[in-house]
């Protein structure tokens, strides 16, 4: 039997939204195999719901 050990880690991710001179940051934890995957997962989760009116997704920071 070939048992694979999961290489996933828990990453803290900050999702950033900006509108004019205002910003919103949302912190969450993401279970992913790499920092890049954690950023993609966080963006995918937030793209499923609309951003606050007028705000645009600016990016993510994976800690």
């Amino acid at each position: 039997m070939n048992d694979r050990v999961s290489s996933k880690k828990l990453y803290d991710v900050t999702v950033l939204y900006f509108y004019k001179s205002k910003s919103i940051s949302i912190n969450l934890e993401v279970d992913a195999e790499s920092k890049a995957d954690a950023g993609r997962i966080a963006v995918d989760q937030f793209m499923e719901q609309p951003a606050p009116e007028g705000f645009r997704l600016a990016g993510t920071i994976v800690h």
Side-chain angles (χ1 to χ4, degrees), residues 2-54:
N2 188 3
D3 293 324
R4 292 184 65 194
V5 177
S6 176
S7 61
K8 289 188 175 184
K9 290 176 54 177
L10 196 59
Y11 292 95
D12 291 321
V13 181
T14 303
V15 180
L16 304 168
Y17 288 96
F18 287 101
Y19 177 66
K20 296 186 180 179
S21 62
K22 299 177 184 175
S23 65
I24 297 173
S25 64
I26 301 168
N27 298 313
L28 63 146
E29 291 183 334
V30 175
D31 191 27
E33 293 183 8
S34 68
K35 282 186 171 187
D37 286 342
R40 281 190 287 275
I41 291 168
V43 168
D44 288 346
Q45 287 178 357
F46 280 92
M47 295 308 275
E48 292 175 1
Q49 52 189 319
E53 188 172 332

